[in-house]
Amino acid sequence: MIFLTGRYQISATKKLTLNVEGDNGKGAVQQDIRLLLAECQAGHGHCQVRVWTQHGEMTGLLTERRTHHPYRWLLEGHLAFLPANR
């Protein structure tokens, strides 16, 4: 499981999508994307994450999705709140 250090906005459906391409953002987001890419490669396109969102700490499984562009892909998945008795 990867603990992401950036703070992310998720949609109302609790879906997190990270667009991975040439400019991967700055600071914590760029570091998170590098870790995610390495972990997803080791996990055959899937990686378990824990992340801070506008609603608090959440967890979920992100899946690597290729796009039609050869050097661009997405990491996406649905998140859930952590159980109360963690």
Side-chain angles (χ1 to χ4, degrees):
M1 177 177 296
I2 295 178
F3 295 91
L4 302 180
T5 56
R7 212 172 161 92
Y8 296 90
Q9 295 286 321
I10 61 167
S11 67
T13 61
K14 298 180 184 167
K15 184 175 183 178
L16 175 66
T17 302
L18 297 173
N19 187 6
V20 181
E21 54 184 301
D23 181 15
N24 292 335
K26 297 179 181 177
V29 173
Q30 189 175 36
Q31 180 182 350
D32 287 348
I33 288 174
R34 276 194 300 254
L35 288 171
L36 284 167
L37 290 176
E39 185 71 18
C40 282
Q41 212 171 35
H44 304 290
H46 304 286
C47 51
Q48 190 73 26
V49 297
R50 187 179 259 178
V51 60
W52 278 100
T53 70
Q54 73 269 28
H55 303 296
E57 194 173 12
M58 300 180 84
T59 188
L61 180 70
L62 296 183
T63 303
E64 188 176 0
R65 302 261 189 243
R66 296 287 175 172
T67 65
H68 297 292
H69 303 288
Y71 300 106
R72 186 185 315 168
W73 60 95
L74 303 172
L75 294 168
E76 62 183 9
H78 287 86
L79 302 177
F81 291 103
L82 298 171
N85 60 355
R86 51 181 172 129

